Amino acid sequence: MPLMTWQDSYTVHVSEFDAQHKHLIDLLNQLHNAMTKGQASDVLGKILHELVSYTKIHFQAEEHYMKAKGYAGYASHKAEHEKLAGQVMAFQKEFIEGRTSLSAQLLTFLKDWLTKHIVQVDKQYSPN
Ligand code: FEO
């Protein structure tokens, strides 16, 4: 069973970003699936790397869009992106250095963060 499922209510009415959010959910589910199957840490590390990289790509794309639209909430939204990216990269560094392992708590944190961010923050730049 996937950790997180896309809901129509998550739409931000920008197809590019809905597709990116779906991909982020898919990567999170892949990580969860690999973890529950007890996959080796190199497999987990590879998916984690993809999740972190894609998150950065997604944040940059949203920031570019908000800036181009002259969106008033740009600065606070960008600050929120930087906070999350910092948290996830700090975790990834600890994971690579073998100082921490993936846990259900971390995945729940990512799931809750993603849901909350899409619904409460991303939706505010929605054109609809
Ligand atoms: Fe979809 Fe602001 O991240």
Side-chain angles (χ1 to χ4, degrees):
M1 198 173 123
L3 177 72
M4 187 173 176
T5 311
W6 169 265
Q7 312 281 329
D8 288 343
S9 62
Y10 295 166
T11 184
V12 293
H13 301 283
V14 179
S15 58
E16 177 189 359
F17 299 141
D18 281 348
Q20 291 181 353
H21 288 149
K22 284 175 187 171
H23 188 58
L24 284 170
I25 290 170
D26 183 52
L27 287 170
L28 190 57
N29 284 331
Q30 281 183 38
L31 197 56
H32 177 251
N33 190 37
M35 193 191 82
T36 52
K37 280 184 177 164
Q39 298 267 19
S41 71
D42 61 332
V43 175
L44 297 175
K46 211 172 154 186
I47 305 170
L48 183 61
H49 174 76
E50 214 179 317
L51 180 64
V52 171
S53 302
Y54 196 75
T55 298
K56 285 191 226 166
I57 290 168
H58 169 62
F59 285 173
Q60 283 171 3
E62 275 190 352
E63 286 161 18
H64 181 78
Y65 172 86
M66 289 187 286
K67 208 167 182 178
K69 296 273 175 192
Y71 173 62
Y74 170 78
S76 61
H77 196 140
K78 189 173 190 292
E80 173 126 2
H81 283 171
E82 282 164 4
K83 189 177 162 196
L84 179 84
Q87 286 173 322
V88 177
M89 282 189 292
F91 172 80
Q92 186 189 27
K93 187 170 182 280
E94 288 188 9
F95 180 82
I96 290 167
E97 291 168 354
R99 288 189 281 122
T100 191
S101 57
L102 276 174
S103 65
Q105 285 88 340
L106 173 84
L107 294 181
T108 301
F109 162 79
L110 289 173
K111 175 193 162 190
D112 290 348
W113 180 87
L114 192 56
T115 309
K116 212 169 143 188
H117 184 79
I118 293 171
V119 173
Q120 295 179 1
V121 182
D122 286 350
K123 270 182 166 287
Q124 289 180 31
Y125 67 62
S126 176
N128 290 29

